[in-house]
Amino acid sequence: MLKTTWVLVGTLFFTLSSLAQTLTSPEQFLGYPVGTQFTRHHRIVEYAKAVAAANSAQVKVIPYGETNEGRELNLVVVSSPENMRNLEQIRLNNLRLAGLTKDRMAPQTENAPAILWLSYNVHGNEASSSEAFLLTLYAMANSTQQNVQAWLKNTVVVMDPCINPDGRDRYINWYNSVVGKKFNADPASREHAEPWPGGRSNHYNFDLNRDWAWQTQIETQQRLKKYQEWMPQVHVDYHEQGFNEPYYFAPAAEPFHEVITPWQRQFQELIGKNHAAYFDAKNWLYFTKERFDLLYPSYGDTYPIYNGAIGMTYEQGGIRAGLAILNEDGDTLTLTDRAQHHFTTGLSTLETVSKHQAKLVQSFKQFFDDSRQAQNSVYKTYVFTHKEEAKLLALKKLLDNNGIQSGSLNNKTFSGYNYFSGKEEGFADEGFHLAVTAAQPKGVLARVLLEPKTAVSDSNTYDITAWSAAYAHGIKAYAVKEKLSVGVPAAPAPKASVAANGFGWLIPYNGFHSAQLLSQLLQANIKVRWAEKPFVYNGKTWDRGSLIVLKTSNAPSALEQTRQLCDRLRISPEALSSGWMDKGSDLGSPDIHVLAKAPKVALLTGEGASSLGAGEVWHYFDRILDYPLTLLNANDLGRLDLKNYQVLIIPDGSYRFFSDKSTADKLKDFVRTGGKLIALENAVAQMATSDWGIKMKETKSEANNTEVKKFGDRERDFLDQSIPGAIYKMDLDNTHPLGFGYPNFYHTLKQDDNLYEWLKEGWNVGTLKKDNYITGYAGSKVKAKLKDGLLLGVQSLGRGSVVYFAEDPLFRNFWENGFLLFANAVFLVGQ
């Protein structure tokens, strides 16, 4: 640690006597000391702009977008005056260190400043870090802080004051509406009981700290574009945890992904010891090396690590704390305390980065030099193939968003590990392909996202342990040990626009793009028919689910509208000249079903529903499927008129109405009279405890187990029964409308050990048999249980249907292969 004295909270936390003439402290600007009130997002932005105006030589505000609710998203860059004058050159040189510029200029390593990125308030109700940002910005912009100014001479600091302004303001506005003129520290007070959905998530109730790699949310998409333009050497993600917990900082807990370098591990030790010195001096408690691991690739610590940085999470106790709360130790934890702690680690991080600037820059360059050679990668090339180009284009979008290069192969004669068969096999091209070499600047990230199996060094992990893109997207893939020559990707072939001949269209139903088309056709009031069985027309076989739009019963413009929609979605329809089929059902057959109008769909939200689970469904309809959805409050179910809806979705949650006979009967009446009920995850588990017709599969009792367990082994013993997120292969009945457009299997992300008995009066569409485990951690007892049972089922009840999704087909909206499955449930099942 540098032997200098920098003023911590106390004097710096309030005001300093020696200020630049126009620079004001947060207290002077806001009218209150930081931590005595919550600061709304727009005031944080205004303060950042005021500081930049007062000290333009050292501070710059860079807008990068808006949230769903229209709040500003900005970066604030701070460094020495000299660095700020050369900021663009520093940024470009940093990208050259990683080999990420198109020019061939050699990077400069000597005296190249390190780049430190500080991200605040990704979870809106973990609100202390944006308050700490105010203090940190003031300290860095204040010319009287000579030690801080010295650190900034070789470091550029990029700060995101608030990643999730919508969630933050949702929380703060609620809190201000329930707190009195003085806070109440009693944990039982209502100011510590945030109502549904809480401020943690963004507008769509998504957890933005799980979205870094997948980039499903607009905030993440805009931020990651800027991140790719800077590529820092160090990234810190600020959080809060339960209010009874002390502060957590690096080093992280196991498991570490095996791609993490020795230097990335070592720096965590260095920075942890620096923080510890400051916390010890203040008698502040902390812990390290526990709970928060480095595996799942879409966190604010791991994603930067897989992009060459040292990524770290800092966690302050404070969730539910409001302005102050009495913790279990009998101490009153205040927002002022929480802001102080985050402020302290912020300046301590800057100090450590400045001290190790040369090593950080050199190791950053070495990371990408090794990546371009695919060092330590068993597989050198990943090749994906599918008969539908749209599937590969969706995967390519994910790769492009992460700066991962992809292309095509000239030589397709090779062998590799087939993800679907689990065997080494020769490549079989299914029509279209996409190849990714591990020997590229983003090769490490590519490996982490694409490899077939993730090595898990310690099973006690904080999140899912499997996410391979081949399974998440439902695309056959080969992991190849040799380096194949990957060329420039071929431009998507233009789809020939087919002229209508006046009778109708045949449209393939073979991917989510087909469901998107169906959604748009129905909203355009175009009647759509679909085939229950395969048939042959003009010598070509059309599979189950194929869509048919006829001139019959439609407006004169319907065929041209259909053609335009097909063109937009890159779907090739075939013009019909007759209703006579070569083989199979003619178009007037009872096996050809009619969707005459768009179903009205409702989603239960509010108390009882998982906010994240409901958010996935909401975002899916609103931003992905682009189909209208009505959000209903679950507590109002007893007095709602469900006759207005054809489909009712019950997301993951824990609902009181399942144990209320009158409300449960109302739901059954909804189904009996022609409604469709779609239940997900724990909603299915609750239905299994009553008389809906689905039952949880029971496991054999361990009553005869005489093994004496040790208290010290309790955590490890628990792991035998845990499954934080592993991939399993389901057998799928693709003759049922729920399975249309799929092969006879589906890869699901299993996050619990729930398994259901076969439906005696219904369709067992998705089932687990033996030898179904693919990858990810699953405890030995879980593996033994997960066989010979139901995960996806459909049950008829009167004139309606119940669809059971024991697993989440829309998981974080990155499990793209489930999108069609859910659309099938909405549009096709029960028709």
Side-chain angles (χ1 to χ4, degrees):
M1 186 185 303
L2 294 177
K3 294 182 179 179
T4 58
T5 303
W6 49 279
V7 184
L8 287 172
V9 185
T11 56
L12 188 64
F13 184 71
F14 296 100
T15 59
L16 294 168
S17 57
S18 302
L19 297 174
Q21 189 173 359
T22 57
L23 181 65
T24 58
S25 70
E27 179 180 354
Q28 290 171 320
F29 183 85
L30 298 170
Y32 55 85
V34 170
T36 59
Q37 294 182 33
F38 283 113
T39 308
R40 289 185 175 90
H41 177 69
H42 75 279
R43 294 293 282 158
I44 293 172
V45 172
E46 289 169 357
Y47 182 68
K49 291 179 178 178
V51 172
N55 188 357
S56 60
Q58 286 192 262
V59 182
K60 183 177 182 179
V61 176
I62 303 175
Y64 71 84
E66 290 185 348
T67 68
N68 286 290
E69 298 175 16
R71 292 180 175 87
E72 286 186 55
L73 295 168
N74 297 283
L75 299 179
V76 181
V77 182
V78 187
S79 194
S80 67
E82 181 181 0
N83 288 338
M84 295 301 290
R85 287 193 295 271
N86 299 299
L87 191 62
E88 182 62 9
Q89 290 80 3
I90 290 172
R91 186 187 70 81
L92 289 173
N93 184 68
N94 197 63
L95 293 180
R96 293 186 188 111
L97 291 170
L100 292 172
T101 57
K102 293 181 180 179
D103 63 45
R104 299 296 180 181
M105 293 181 61
Q108 300 296 315
T109 55
E110 187 173 355
N111 298 323
I115 297 177
L116 164 64
W117 186 302
L118 304 176
S119 290
Y120 299 93
N121 220 155
V122 66
H123 292 148
N125 59 2
E126 299 174 13
S128 68
S129 66
S130 286
E131 307 292 341
F133 158 79
L134 300 169
L135 301 171
T136 307
L137 174 60
Y138 179 53
M140 292 182 183
N142 193 325
S143 60
T144 66
Q145 297 301 295
Q146 295 180 6
N147 50 341
V148 177
Q149 294 301 309
W151 300 333
L152 290 172
K153 288 181 180 179
N154 65 358
T155 307
V156 173
V157 182
V158 181
M159 292 185 282
D160 191 328
C162 185
I163 289 177
N164 182 12
D166 291 350
R168 177 182 175 84
D169 276 3
R170 186 188 315 132
Y171 170 70
I172 290 173
N173 290 336
W174 165 79
Y175 183 84
N176 288 342
S177 75
V178 297
V179 70
K181 68 177 183 178
K182 180 171 174 53
F183 59 73
N184 188 332
D186 182 353
S189 174
R190 69 171 181 168
E191 66 198 70
H192 305 299
E194 193 180 0
W196 197 96
R200 177 183 177 89
S201 54
N202 76 342
H203 174 80
Y204 284 103
N205 303 141
F206 261 73
D207 187 334
L208 294 178
N209 192 41
R210 270 75 173 169
D211 194 47
W212 280 74
W214 320 128
Q215 301 178 45
T216 69
Q217 301 301 295
I218 191 171
E219 295 92 345
T220 316
Q221 294 160 10
Q222 295 171 109
R223 184 177 74 257
L224 265 292
K225 287 180 181 177
K226 282 297 178 184
Y227 189 93
Q228 306 289 354
E229 293 174 6
W230 283 92
M231 295 293 290
Q233 278 79 40
V234 177
H235 179 268
V236 176
D237 192 25
Y238 283 92
H239 286 267
E240 291 191 89
Q241 53 190 323
F243 65 84
N244 287 311
E245 305 293 339
Y247 202 95
Y248 163 83
F249 48 72
E254 291 286 349
F256 281 45
H257 196 287
E258 60 185 359
V259 301
I260 296 175
T261 68
W263 166 244
Q264 288 173 320
R265 288 173 174 262
Q266 181 187 350
F267 187 85
Q268 295 214 359
E269 293 278 347
L270 293 172
I271 207 158
K273 290 177 180 178
N274 206 63
H275 295 345
Y278 286 112
F279 273 57
D280 289 344
K282 291 288 185 178
N283 296 310
W284 294 339
L285 293 178
Y286 55 88
F287 68 98
T288 66
K289 302 181 288 292
E290 295 180 73
R291 192 174 299 168
F292 303 103
D293 60 80
L294 296 176
L295 186 69
Y296 173 67
S298 207
Y299 279 134
D301 51 10
T302 49
Y303 185 83
I305 283 177
Y306 304 143
N307 279 276
I310 286 89
M312 294 170 290
T313 291
Y314 295 169
E315 295 265 358
Q316 164 66 46
I319 293 177
R320 290 186 52 218
L323 291 176
I325 198 166
L326 188 68
N327 66 22
E328 63 185 10
D329 294 333
D331 297 326
T332 299
L333 176 68
T334 67
L335 179 60
T336 300
D337 298 329
R338 292 147 59 196
Q340 286 180 6
H341 300 160
H342 274 330
F343 168 61
T344 299
T345 55
L347 289 190
S348 175
T349 301
L350 171 59
E351 177 186 22
T352 309
V353 169
S354 176
K355 182 177 181 180
H356 298 280
Q357 163 266 332
K359 176 67 172 175
L360 282 165
V361 171
Q362 186 273 327
S363 297
F364 179 79
K365 182 178 183 299
Q366 189 64 52
F367 178 96
F368 287 97
D369 288 347
D370 292 344
S371 185
R372 288 194 295 274
Q373 299 300 317
Q375 292 284 346
N376 303 316
S377 293
V378 174
Y379 298 116
K380 307 298 184 183
T381 314
Y382 302 92
V383 185
F384 302 82
T385 182
H386 201 276
K387 63 182 180 181
E388 291 302 319
E389 185 184 30
K391 297 277 280 188
L392 293 170
L393 290 176
L395 176 60
K396 187 177 186 304
K397 180 182 178 182
L398 172 69
L399 299 173
D400 290 346
N401 287 346
N402 285 288
I404 297 172
Q405 301 163 10
S406 61
S408 56
L409 301 173
N410 290 323
N411 180 10
K412 300 178 187 178
T413 305
F414 61 88
S415 295
Y417 175 85
N418 183 332
Y419 288 52
F420 286 2
S421 70
K423 300 176 182 178
E424 193 79 11
E425 295 177 355
F427 175 70
D429 194 342
E430 295 195 349
F432 297 92
H433 78 278
L434 188 69
V436 179
T437 177
Q440 62 168 297
K442 290 295 190 79
V444 171
L445 180 63
R447 171 186 169 183
V448 172
L449 297 183
L450 304 180
E451 63 187 350
K453 296 181 183 292
T454 302
V456 183
S457 61
D458 189 309
S459 52
N460 192 10
T461 181
Y462 197 71
D463 211 295
I464 64 172
T465 57
W467 50 79
S468 178
Y471 302 119
H473 283 252
I475 303 174
K476 181 186 284 187
Y478 296 81
V480 185
K481 293 181 179 179
E482 60 183 297
K483 181 181 176 181
L484 304 178
S485 178
V486 178
V488 176
K495 294 292 183 182
S497 186
V498 182
N501 59 14
F503 192 89
W505 294 112
L506 276 179
I507 303 166
Y509 196 81
N510 45 25
F512 180 60
H513 55 301
S514 301
Q516 289 174 303
L517 174 65
L518 177 57
S519 162
Q520 296 303 307
L521 291 171
L522 291 173
Q523 291 181 75
N525 295 316
I526 296 173
K527 290 184 180 178
V528 183
R529 289 166 166 80
W530 57 273
E532 182 181 325
K533 300 176 181 178
F535 60 91
V536 178
Y537 178 73
N538 278 352
K540 178 180 177 181
T541 299
W542 292 79
D543 210 344
R544 293 177 175 86
S546 295
L547 304 180
I548 304 152
V549 177
L550 301 177
K551 183 177 181 180
T552 302
S553 302
N554 275 312
S557 61
L559 296 187
E560 175 58 20
Q561 281 183 273
T562 301
R563 184 192 64 77
Q564 292 176 5
L565 288 169
C566 285
D567 287 351
R568 190 182 308 161
L569 290 165
R570 299 183 57 77
I571 293 172
S572 298
E574 181 168 333
L576 278 164
S577 59
S578 172
W580 177 276
M581 299 296 107
D582 302 349
K583 293 181 181 179
S585 302
D586 297 323
L587 298 190
S589 166
D591 290 333
I592 305 296
H593 302 271
V594 180
L595 286 168
K597 62 179 182 178
K600 290 192 68 175
V601 184
L603 169 71
L604 291 188
T605 64
E607 186 179 348
S610 160
S611 61
L612 300 180
E616 289 174 353
V617 179
W618 181 21
H619 185 263
Y620 168 81
F621 276 91
D622 208 36
R623 293 285 183 165
I624 300 174
L625 186 61
D626 192 18
Y627 191 86
L629 177 72
T630 300
L631 307 183
L632 304 176
N633 281 317
N635 283 347
D636 295 337
L637 188 59
R639 59 177 179 269
L640 289 171
D641 186 358
L642 298 180
K643 294 177 182 177
N644 295 323
Y645 310 100
Q646 287 75 55
V647 181
L648 179 63
I649 302 169
I650 307 180
D652 184 31
S654 182
Y655 300 95
R656 289 182 292 182
F657 58 73
F658 280 124
S659 58
D660 178 74
K661 186 178 186 305
S662 63
T663 308
D665 287 345
K666 182 176 182 176
L667 282 175
K668 291 176 183 176
D669 288 341
F670 165 75
V671 178
R672 288 191 184 102
T673 55
K676 187 186 321 182
L677 195 66
I678 301 175
L680 292 98
E681 301 183 89
N682 196 56
V684 178
Q686 285 190 272
M687 295 170 80
T689 63
S690 55
D691 57 350
W692 281 88
I694 187 169
K695 296 295 179 185
M696 191 84 73
K697 186 175 181 182
E698 297 181 2
T699 56
K700 294 180 180 180
S701 173
E702 294 186 351
N704 297 325
N705 188 348
T706 59
E707 180 184 357
V708 178
K709 296 182 179 181
K710 293 184 178 180
F711 179 79
D713 295 337
R714 65 192 184 282
E715 290 186 8
R716 290 292 163 188
D717 290 341
F718 170 76
L719 293 176
D720 290 341
Q721 306 174 61
S722 73
I723 178 169
I727 296 174
Y728 274 71
K729 182 179 180 180
M730 265 197 294
D731 286 7
L732 191 68
D733 178 5
N734 61 2
T735 69
H736 190 281
L738 185 58
F740 283 179
Y742 286 91
N744 60 2
F745 61 89
Y746 172 84
H747 291 99
T748 189
L749 186 67
K750 198 83 181 74
Q751 297 180 85
D752 58 38
D753 63 354
N754 289 346
L755 195 63
Y756 298 85
E757 295 178 0
W758 310 120
L759 292 174
K760 296 178 181 178
E761 297 182 4
W763 302 104
N764 300 289
V765 182
T767 59
L768 286 185
K769 302 293 179 62
K770 296 179 180 178
D771 301 323
N772 47 46
Y773 166 81
I774 300 296
T775 183
Y777 179 77
S780 58
K781 293 180 180 178
V782 175
K783 282 185 176 179
K785 178 180 178 181
L786 291 179
K787 60 183 179 181
D788 298 325
L790 172 75
L791 291 179
L792 302 180
V794 178
Q795 184 179 10
S796 296
L797 185 62
R799 293 190 289 113
S801 302
V802 181
V803 183
Y804 300 110
F805 283 103
E807 298 306 315
D808 184 359
L810 306 178
F811 183 73
R812 295 177 186 167
N813 278 184
F814 86 82
W815 207 264
E816 294 228 0
N817 200 33
F819 289 175
L820 177 63
L821 202 64
F822 203 77
N824 288 347
V826 172
F827 295 123
L828 301 185
V829 170
Q831 297 298 328

